[in-house]
């Protein structure tokens, strides 16, 4: 099973070629790799094409540090709507592909339920973290080359097209919203939980979160296994 980038799909020149995404190195590499997997018929590869991951806000080190140290969220999306997909939807799709043998050598497209601006993402982060998170629009030279390319794709407004996701067809439910993702802390990695714990006062360890009480005592509550 390979996770790919949804801009690497070659099937619709109206949405892809005219926006120049193949000029972005990592998008082109994904497309070439995907093509090789399709050609190699002996490999029962399943390819999942996903849009921008919601977890990037915590997993990219520069974003995580900005949230934790400055209460800021950085981007260069120029106010355009971005289609973010939950890593939980991807994980569920991977499990489905593994268990359903009839779905080998297929490709699936995973998108979020709708587009959302990075300023709106900052608002959701503020609500979840319990502090004001400010979205800061940066110039492209602030980012490394790959991240700058991602921001260019966001700024192109690609998320506004009507490409249909396979989420409902395969998983039998709607795609998670950004708010859903932020609240599903039991499915987050330790890196994501660490970023949340700095501002919320909750420390996530081995499937439990520990809340500091006023008297200095600790109260443990099970929130599911840590990933």
């Amino acid at each position: 099973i390979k996770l790919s980038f949804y801009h690497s799909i070659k099937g619709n020149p109206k949405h892809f070629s005219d926006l120049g995404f193949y000029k972005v190195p990592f998008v082109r590499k994904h497309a070439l790799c995907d093509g090789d997997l399709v050609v190699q018929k002996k490999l029962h590869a399943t390819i999942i094409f996903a849009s921008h991951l919601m977890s990037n806000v915590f997993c990219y080190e520069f974003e995580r540090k900005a949230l934790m140290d400055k209460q800021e969220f950085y981007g260069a999306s120029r106010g355009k709507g971005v289609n973010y997909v939950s890593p939980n939807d991807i994980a569920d799709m991977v499990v489905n592909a593994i268990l359903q043998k009839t779905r080998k050598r297929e490709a699936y497209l995973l998108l979020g339920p709708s587009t959302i601006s990075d300023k709106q993402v900052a608002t959701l982060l503020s609500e979840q973290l319990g502090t004001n998170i400010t979205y800061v629009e940066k110039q492209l030279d602030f980012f490394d080359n790959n991240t700058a390319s991602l921001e260019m794709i966001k700024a192109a407004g690609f998320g506004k097209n009507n490409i249909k996701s396979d989420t409902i067809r395969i998983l039998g439910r709607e795609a998670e919203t950004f708010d859903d993702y932020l609240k599903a802390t039991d499915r987050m990695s330790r890196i994501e939980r660490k970023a949340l714990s700095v501002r919320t006062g909750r420390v996530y360890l081995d499937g439990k979160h520990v809340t500091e009480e006023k008297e200095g005592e600790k109260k443990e509550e099970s929130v599911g296994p840590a990933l």
Side-chain angles (χ1 to χ4, degrees):
I1 296 175
K2 177 184 180 294
L3 179 62
S4 189
F5 196 51
Y6 79 151
H7 300 85
S8 301
I9 301 173
K10 290 187 174 181
N12 196 331
K14 179 180 179 182
H15 291 306
F16 294 93
S17 298
D18 58 354
L19 292 176
F21 293 140
Y22 285 122
K23 296 179 182 179
V24 179
F26 72 91
V27 172
R28 182 174 178 79
K29 288 179 180 178
H30 268 299
L32 293 174
C33 181
D34 299 338
D36 288 342
L37 288 175
V38 171
V39 170
Q40 297 294 329
K41 295 183 178 180
K42 292 183 179 180
L43 298 176
H44 297 291
T46 297
I47 303 174
I48 297 175
F49 295 97
S51 56
H52 306 274
L53 293 176
M54 296 175 182
S55 52
N56 287 349
V57 67
F58 299 127
C59 294
Y60 284 165
E61 184 177 2
F62 77 93
E63 290 282 27
R64 187 168 65 251
K65 290 187 67 175
L67 280 175
M68 295 167 67
D69 299 340
K70 298 182 179 180
Q71 293 76 62
E72 293 179 343
F73 168 46
Y74 300 149
S77 52
R78 304 295 184 261
K80 296 295 180 64
V82 180
N83 194 298
Y84 285 103
V85 65
S86 169
N88 301 328
D89 288 344
I90 295 173
D92 290 345
M93 183 68 81
V94 168
V95 170
N96 183 280
I98 291 173
L99 297 179
Q100 299 294 329
K101 296 181 179 179
T102 58
R103 291 190 175 134
K104 289 181 178 178
R105 292 187 58 77
E106 289 195 25
Y108 303 105
L109 181 62
L110 288 190
L111 304 175
S114 61
T115 60
I116 182 173
S117 71
D118 282 335
K119 190 172 182 180
Q120 289 174 303
V121 170
T123 298
L124 292 176
L125 288 169
S126 298
E127 294 172 356
Q128 180 65 18
L129 296 173
T131 189
N132 184 50
I133 302 298
T134 303
Y135 172 67
V136 180
E137 185 81 14
K138 293 287 189 179
Q139 297 299 315
L140 289 176
D141 58 8
F142 171 82
F143 306 97
D144 62 65
N145 290 337
N146 279 336
T147 305
S149 297
L150 279 172
E151 294 302 321
M152 288 173 63
I153 291 174
K154 290 180 182 179
F158 177 79
K160 292 184 178 180
N161 66 60
N162 296 316
I163 291 180
K164 188 175 181 180
S165 175
D166 289 314
T167 306
I168 296 178
R169 180 173 70 87
I170 303 300
L171 299 182
R173 60 169 175 78
E174 295 283 350
E176 282 193 349
T177 64
F178 216 118
D179 191 43
D180 293 333
Y181 159 69
L182 290 174
K183 291 177 179 177
T185 55
D186 58 313
R187 301 194 66 179
M188 288 184 173
S189 67
R190 285 186 173 87
I191 290 176
E192 294 163 280
R193 291 176 182 178
K194 181 179 179 181
L196 283 174
S197 68
V198 169
R199 301 306 307 178
T200 62
R202 295 191 296 269
V203 182
Y204 295 92
L205 293 170
D206 299 324
K208 295 181 178 179
H209 70 245
V210 181
T211 304
E212 297 290 342
E213 302 292 341
K214 290 183 179 180
E215 297 80 11
E217 298 179 351
K218 295 180 180 179
K219 178 182 178 182
E220 294 188 353
E221 297 176 86
S222 176
V223 294
L227 301 177

